[in-house]
Amino acid sequence: MTLIHHDKAELACVFMVEPGNYEWPAILLASSLMAFTADDLALHAYCRSHLIDQLHPETLRFFERHGIQLAPISPEFEVPYPQGNKLYACAATRAAPATILFDRDMFMLQPAFLGDALRVGAVSGRPTGDWMWGKTVDAWRAAYASVDMELPRGRLARPSGSYVAPSMSAGFVAYHGDQFGKIWRDAALAIEARRLAKGIYPTLDQISLPVATHLAGLKMNMIDVKWNKAVAIKPQALRNVICYHYQKAQTLLGLPISWVADELLRDFTEFDGLENMIAFYDEHSAKPADVIHNAGFQRAVIAKQRAVDIPHER
């Protein structure tokens, strides 16, 4: 099966893949995109360069069979920062004029035009929840100061009553043009380097997203939760949710909609359903130390935050 001609695609779907238990989610996501997207699209998988040759041959065969482009990235964050790898994926060069970034632990549940999430002159994403970094306006003032910008005037009122500068989830991000990904990456590097805002890990990707949007001269387009739905989900969601963010394998396996994943895999892969694929990768895939539990990340973060994080003063 040939998915698309990459030089004719109107939309690039971007996601990360890494050896081990991060391979099967990428396969499930890609299968759902092939099944349910109505757009002309190209699929792009990215892997850290020192890990790419440890991807399982079954993963590579799946990518080749369906025309999915696999490319290396070489992140340069000062602290090992796995959530930031996708910023380097966004910054890579692609032929399509628009990009949608997906967190790897997502998949589509129903047919849709992904292009409906795009808006010219804007970056689209779901508003962040209360757990997100930046629970006060002043915290965001510090983040913008990291790139020598004044805090923009826009505000976000959350249902719980918090009142902050607007921010979007970095799990589903849609934008036009080939420059925003680079601006987003560079904004994250600048925020990390100056550390005017405390506690930037592990949400530096989401902190830098609105900052980069303003740096690029774009607006934030807050889209409906149906594009990036997380936590509990019911069978009725097959009518109401486009992209589901399951986050953990056990969550997905226990859901009443897990049969959709099973059927996708039977249709597009050599696996007989989700449990079969998870068991295969659990037994046969490589398990590099810096992928499993992001070895060294927590240790490095704690050391850096104690040493150099600086409280912001107005």
Side-chain angles (χ1 to χ4, degrees):
M1 177 187 297
T2 301
L3 177 60
I4 43 77
H5 296 287
H6 290 273
D7 58 348
K8 297 180 180 179
E10 297 179 356
L11 179 63
C13 295
V14 170
F15 55 92
M16 291 294 303
V17 62
E18 292 197 330
N21 290 330
Y22 292 149
E23 293 183 75
W24 69 258
I27 290 174
L28 174 59
L29 170 60
S31 297
S32 74
L33 292 170
M34 290 185 285
F36 291 134
T37 49
D39 313 77
D40 293 324
L41 79 163
L43 300 186
H44 295 264
Y46 293 89
C47 181
R48 283 181 285 176
S49 57
H50 70 287
L51 297 169
I52 199 167
D53 62 356
Q54 297 184 60
L55 291 171
H56 195 278
E58 185 61 37
T59 303
L60 301 178
R61 282 193 291 269
F62 173 82
F63 287 168
E64 182 176 3
R65 185 163 63 247
H66 295 295
I68 300 168
Q69 292 194 348
L70 173 66
I73 55 169
S74 299
E76 297 178 350
F77 290 98
E78 184 177 343
V79 170
Y81 179 54
Q83 291 90 339
N85 297 336
K86 59 190 174 186
L87 277 64
Y88 277 81
C90 286
T93 300
R94 290 173 293 275
T99 294
I100 297 184
L101 167 71
F102 294 85
D103 267 1
R104 169 179 42 219
D105 51 351
M106 301 175 68
F107 73 114
M108 289 187 71
L109 298 183
Q110 63 172 302
F113 280 100
L114 291 175
D116 287 347
L118 289 156
R119 180 175 294 177
V120 175
V123 177
S124 298
R126 178 189 172 188
T128 53
D130 282 354
W131 64 269
M132 167 63 180
W133 179 96
K135 296 182 179 180
T136 67
V137 171
D138 278 350
W140 284 101
R141 201 182 310 276
Y144 281 90
S146 298
V147 294
D148 300 319
M149 288 186 69
E150 295 291 329
L151 181 69
R153 68 182 187 184
R155 299 292 182 266
L156 174 66
R158 293 184 174 124
S160 66
S162 62
Y163 179 79
V164 294
S167 60
M168 298 184 298
S169 166
F172 178 101
V173 181
Y175 57 90
H176 287 280
D178 61 358
Q179 293 303 305
F180 177 74
K182 299 177 179 63
I183 295 170
W184 187 10
R185 174 202 61 196
D186 293 345
L189 291 171
I191 293 170
E192 181 189 48
R194 294 189 64 184
R195 288 189 180 83
L196 297 180
K198 291 195 62 152
I200 59 176
Y201 306 109
T203 52
L204 177 57
D205 56 340
Q206 298 201 17
I207 299 168
S208 55
L209 180 53
V211 175
T213 301
H214 284 280
L215 276 173
L218 302 171
K219 304 295 184 181
M220 281 185 281
N221 178 34
M222 300 296 189
I223 57 177
D224 191 86
V225 67
K226 68 183 180 181
W227 293 103
N228 183 7
K229 169 66 176 173
V231 301
I233 192 168
K234 297 179 180 180
Q236 300 93 297
L238 291 178
R239 295 191 297 271
N240 302 320
V241 173
I242 295 173
C243 298
Y244 180 57
H245 204 151
Y246 56 88
Q247 299 175 333
K248 295 180 180 179
Q250 289 307 311
T251 300
L252 178 56
L253 288 168
L255 291 173
I257 53 127
S258 63
W259 66 268
V260 181
D262 290 333
E263 293 300 328
L264 287 166
L265 296 173
R266 292 180 186 124
D267 196 6
F268 288 93
T269 77
E270 303 298 318
F271 297 105
D272 185 24
L274 186 62
E275 288 193 33
N276 178 263
M277 183 169 68
I278 291 174
F280 174 86
Y281 279 100
D282 190 52
E283 180 178 356
H284 298 292
S285 64
K287 295 176 175 60
D290 55 353
V291 174
I292 298 175
H293 306 305
N294 300 310
F297 172 62
Q298 292 294 336
R299 211 165 40 247
V301 166
I302 292 170
K304 284 291 180 184
Q305 287 183 338
R306 285 176 178 169
V308 298
D309 270 0
I310 303 168
H312 176 66
E313 296 181 2
R314 293 185 65 175

